Amino acid sequence: MRSPRFALLALLPALSLAQNATNSSSAASYVAGLLGALQSLNLTMLEQAAVSLANTTTGAALLAALPEGNKTIFAPNDAAFSMVPANITSNLAELGDILMYHFVSGAFNATQFAMSPNHTIMRTFLNDSALVQLEANKSQVLVAENMGGEVMLLNQPQNVTVLSSATYENLVIHVIDNVLSVPPALTDLTTANISALLSAAESTNLADPVIASHGLTIFAPTDMALTGALSALGEAATNLTLIQAVLGNHIVNGTTLYSSSLMSGSNLTSASGEPLMTMSNSSGMFVMSANSTAKVVQSDILIENGVVHLIDGVLLNPMSDPSAAASAYSMATGAAATQTAMETGAVGATGAAAGASPSSSGSGSSGSGAMGLTAGVWSAGLAAIGALAGAMLLL
Ligand SMILES: *[C@@H]1O[C@H](CO)[C@@H](O)[C@H](O)[C@H]1NC(C)=O
Ligand SMILES: *[C@@H]1O[C@H](CO)[C@@H](O)[C@H](O)[C@H]1NC(C)=O
Ligand SMILES: *[C@@H]1O[C@H](CO)[C@@H](O)[C@H](O)[C@H]1NC(C)=O
Ligand SMILES: *[C@@H]1O[C@H](CO)[C@@H](O)[C@H](O)[C@H]1NC(C)=O
Ligand SMILES: *[C@@H]1O[C@H](CO)[C@@H](O)[C@H](O)[C@H]1NC(C)=O
Ligand SMILES: *[C@@H]1O[C@H](CO)[C@@H](O)[C@H](O)[C@H]1NC(C)=O
Ligand SMILES: *[C@@H]1O[C@H](CO)[C@@H](O)[C@H](O)[C@H]1NC(C)=O
Ligand SMILES: *[C@@H]1O[C@H](CO)[C@@H](O)[C@H](O)[C@H]1NC(C)=O
Ligand SMILES: *[C@@H]1O[C@H](CO)[C@@H](O)[C@H](O)[C@H]1NC(C)=O
Ligand SMILES: *[C@@H]1O[C@H](CO)[C@@H](O)[C@H](O)[C@H]1NC(C)=O
Ligand SMILES: *[C@@H]1O[C@H](CO)[C@@H](O)[C@H](O)[C@H]1NC(C)=O
Ligand SMILES: *[C@@H]1O[C@H](CO)[C@@H](O)[C@H](O)[C@H]1NC(C)=O
C-alpha cells in the first residue's frame, strides 16, 4: 500500500486558495502534513476538531502559532473523542477550551517524564479566565508521571494513559485514551478527602477569599487529620480568630507552587503572614510552620486558581502577621507579573529554560517568518485529505 504522506504531497499544488504564494504554500504543506500525520495515527476526530477550531478566534491564534517553537499535543484517540457529549463537541467555544488544555508549550518526549511519585508539570495553552484564575493570568498546567513505564496524566476523573507517541516537524504528539478534563474549583474537588477543611473554611469566612484569589498553594489537611486536630483543640476550636490564623498558615497567597518547585526546599510566607517551610528527603516531602510538621501525602491536585497538596497533619500555628502577609502577597504578584513568557520546559524544574523563548500565545499575529495558518488553509488541508481518502478507495 502506498504511503498516504507521499500521495498527499502530489495533491498539494491543488491547495491554491491563498493570496501569498510563498507563505501559503509552506503553511499549506505544514497543515497538510500535520493532518496527514494525525490521520496516519487514526486521529480523525481530532483532525476534524482542529479544522473547526481554525474558525474561532482563540483557536485560530493557537493553530497559527503551531509552527513556532516546540509544542506537545496530547491527542485523544477517536474512541476517547466519541465519549464526549455532542453538546460539547458542537459548541466551538467549549471544544476550543478543551483542546487548548491538550496543547503544551515545549517538547516533552515520552522518555522524559518524571518517575512516580515525582511529577512533570507542563504549561498548556488554556487561559480562558472563565476556567483558569492563576497569578498573572498564567495558563493552566497538566501533571504527568511515568508509572512503571506508562506515562499517565493525573488529576483526571478517569485514568489517562499515553498509548503511543510520534513527532511531526516541531510537534510531539502523544496519543491518549481519554479526553482531558479541566481542573475544577476548590469547592468542586469532590474526590480529594478535604470536606472537613472546606466546611472549616466556610464557617470561618475563609472560603470566599480563597475562591476569589488568583494563584494559591494550599497545604490541605486530610479529613482525618483535621477532625482529629479540631477535637484536640477543644474549646479553642470555636475561637474564630485562632482558626482563621491556623488555616491561613496552610496557604501561600499569590503563587502557585507545584511539587517540582517545593522539592528542593523553600522558605515561604503564609497567607497569615507566618514563615512556612518545605523540605524533602528520602521519606518524602514535608511542610513546617512554627512547631508543626506534616507530610505531603498527595501533591499537585490542580484547581482552577492554584494547586492543593494533601498533608497528613494540621500545622497548629495560631500566630498571624497581617502586614507580613500583605507584603508577601504584593511581592509574589509583582514577581509573577514579570514572567511574561510561557515556560518551554517543565514548570518548576531547576535548570529548565523557563520562559526562555518568547511566546506567541494570545495574539494570533504573525512575526516575520510566521506562516499564518488561517482557517482556509486548514479547510483546504482537510479537503485534500478527504480527496486522498476518496482516491485511495478507488485504487
Ligand atoms: C508574502 O510573504 C513574504 C514572506 O513573508 C513577504 O515578504 C511578502 O511581502 C508577502 N507578499 C504579499 C503579497 O503579501
Ligand atoms: C489505524 O487503524 C487501522 C484500521 O483500523 C489499523 O490497521 C492501524 O493499525 C491503525 N494505526 C494506528 C497507528 O493505530
Ligand atoms: C468556517 O466558517 C466558514 C464561514 O464562516 C464556513 O463556511 C465553514 O463551514 C466553517 N468551517 C467549519 C469547519 O466550521
Ligand atoms: C525543540 O526541541 C529540540 C529537541 O527536542 C531542541 O533541539 C530544540 O532546541 C528545540 N527548539 C526550541 C526553539 O526550543
Ligand atoms: C450537556 O448536556 C448535559 C446533559 O445532557 C448537561 O448536564 C451539560 O451541562 C451540557 N453541557 C453543556 C456545555 O451544555
Ligand atoms: C524522543 O524520543 C524518541 C523516541 O521516541 C527518540 O528517538 C528521540 O531521540 C528523543 N528525543 C529527545 C530529545 O530525547
Ligand atoms: C524524585 O526527585 C527527587 C529530587 O529531584 C530525586 O531525588 C528522586 O530520586 C526522584 N525520585 C524518582 C523516583 O525518580
Ligand atoms: C487507574 O490506575 C490505577 C493505578 O495504576 C489503578 O489502580 C486503577 O485501578 C485505575 N483505574 C481505572 C478506572 O482504570
Ligand atoms: C490574598 O491577598 C489578597 C490581597 O491582600 C487578599 O485580597 C486575599 O483575600 C488574600 N487571599 C487569601 C486566601 O488570603
Ligand atoms: C482567640 O485566639 C486568639 C489568637 O490565638 C487569642 O489572641 C484570643 O485571646 C483568643 N480568644 C479567646 C476568647 O480565647
Ligand atoms: C530556609 O531557612 C532556613 C533557616 O533560616 C535555612 O537554613 C534554609 O537554608 C533556607 N532554605 C532555603 C531553600 O532557602
Ligand atoms: C514552639 O515551641 C517552643 C519551645 O517548645 C515554644 O516556646 C513556642 O511557644 C512554640 N510555638 C508555638 C507557636 O507553639
Side-chain angles (χ1 to χ4, degrees):
M1 179 127 181
R2 272 205 291 159
S3 155
R5 299 279 289 284
F6 288 121
L8 184 67
L9 289 178
L11 284 171
L12 278 178
L15 300 175
S16 56
L17 298 185
Q19 300 94 323
N20 187 325
T22 316
N23 268 348
S24 62
S25 72
S26 66
S29 65
Y30 182 92
V31 167
L34 174 57
L35 294 177
L38 295 180
Q39 188 150 88
S40 68
L41 291 164
N42 287 346
L43 301 171
T44 56
M45 293 179 83
L46 176 64
E47 194 190 329
Q48 300 275 356
V51 174
S52 309
L53 200 61
N55 256 8
T56 68
T57 316
T58 46
L62 170 68
L63 295 174
L66 267 190
E68 299 161 27
N70 289 325
K71 296 193 171 51
T72 301
I73 303 175
F74 289 92
N77 63 15
D78 283 358
F81 252 110
S82 64
M83 290 185 286
V84 178
N87 61 352
I88 292 178
T89 45
S90 64
N91 180 333
L92 279 189
E94 292 254 349
L95 183 64
D97 277 335
I98 291 173
L99 286 180
M100 297 292 244
Y101 194 48
H102 291 72
F103 283 72
V104 162
S105 168
F108 289 87
N109 214 329
T111 56
Q112 291 168 336
F113 290 99
M115 299 297 258
S116 178
N118 291 350
H119 296 157
T120 297
I121 313 288
M122 298 167 278
R123 190 73 65 186
T124 75
F125 284 82
L126 175 68
N127 70 352
D128 181 343
S129 61
L131 298 173
V132 188
Q133 298 101 39
L134 297 177
E135 64 272 27
N137 296 324
K138 288 183 181 178
S139 305
Q140 188 52 276
V141 300
L142 273 173
V143 182
E145 68 178 18
N146 181 327
M147 165 89 100
E150 281 195 320
V151 177
M152 314 271 299
L153 292 164
L154 307 184
N155 288 297
Q156 295 295 317
Q158 301 103 357
N159 285 345
V160 181
T161 307
V162 170
L163 301 173
S164 63
S165 303
T167 58
Y168 171 69
E169 303 275 342
N170 60 326
L171 308 176
V172 178
I173 302 169
H174 296 301
V175 179
I176 54 175
D177 56 359
N178 272 298
V179 172
L180 296 167
S181 299
V182 172
L186 176 68
T187 46
D188 293 332
L189 210 54
T190 49
T191 54
N193 194 17
I194 54 165
S195 51
L197 178 67
L198 293 179
S199 61
E202 197 75 57
S203 61
T204 53
N205 305 322
L206 254 179
D208 288 343
V210 163
I211 291 162
S213 294
H214 287 216
L216 290 173
T217 306
I218 303 175
F219 294 96
T222 60
D223 284 341
M224 205 166 73
L226 188 61
T227 47
L230 288 177
S231 71
L233 276 177
E235 188 122 318
T238 61
N239 181 335
L240 187 68
T241 321
L242 184 142
I243 298 298
Q244 274 179 341
V246 168
L247 294 182
N249 278 318
H250 291 75
I251 298 173
V252 180
N253 188 8
T255 319
T256 305
L257 296 162
Y258 306 101
S259 61
S260 49
S261 303
L262 298 172
M263 194 84 81
S264 56
S266 34
N267 288 323
L268 309 164
T269 300
S270 75
S272 291
E274 294 291 307
L276 188 64
M277 281 172 46
T278 67
M279 57 147 290
S280 62
N281 59 30
S282 56
S283 47
M285 197 198 305
F286 298 87
V287 57
M288 287 152 281
S289 176
N291 296 337
S292 298
T293 298
K295 183 178 181 186
V296 173
V297 292
Q298 191 184 344
S299 62
D300 301 321
I301 301 169
L302 303 178
I303 54 176
E304 60 186 11
N305 61 341
V307 67
V308 173
H309 306 294
L310 276 188
I311 57 177
D312 69 352
V314 173
L315 305 169
L316 273 177
N317 182 357
M319 316 281 277
S320 67
D321 180 346
S323 75
S327 79
Y329 175 77
S330 67
M331 266 178 70
T333 45
T338 64
Q339 296 161 15
T340 52
M342 265 168 111
E343 296 89 344
T344 54
V347 176
T350 47
S357 78
S359 152
S360 53
S361 72
S363 94
S365 76
S366 46
S368 61
M371 282 187 196
L373 307 183
T374 60
V377 182
W378 288 87
S379 307
L382 191 68
I385 301 264
L388 170 67
M392 286 169 69
L393 285 178
L394 296 177
L395 293 179

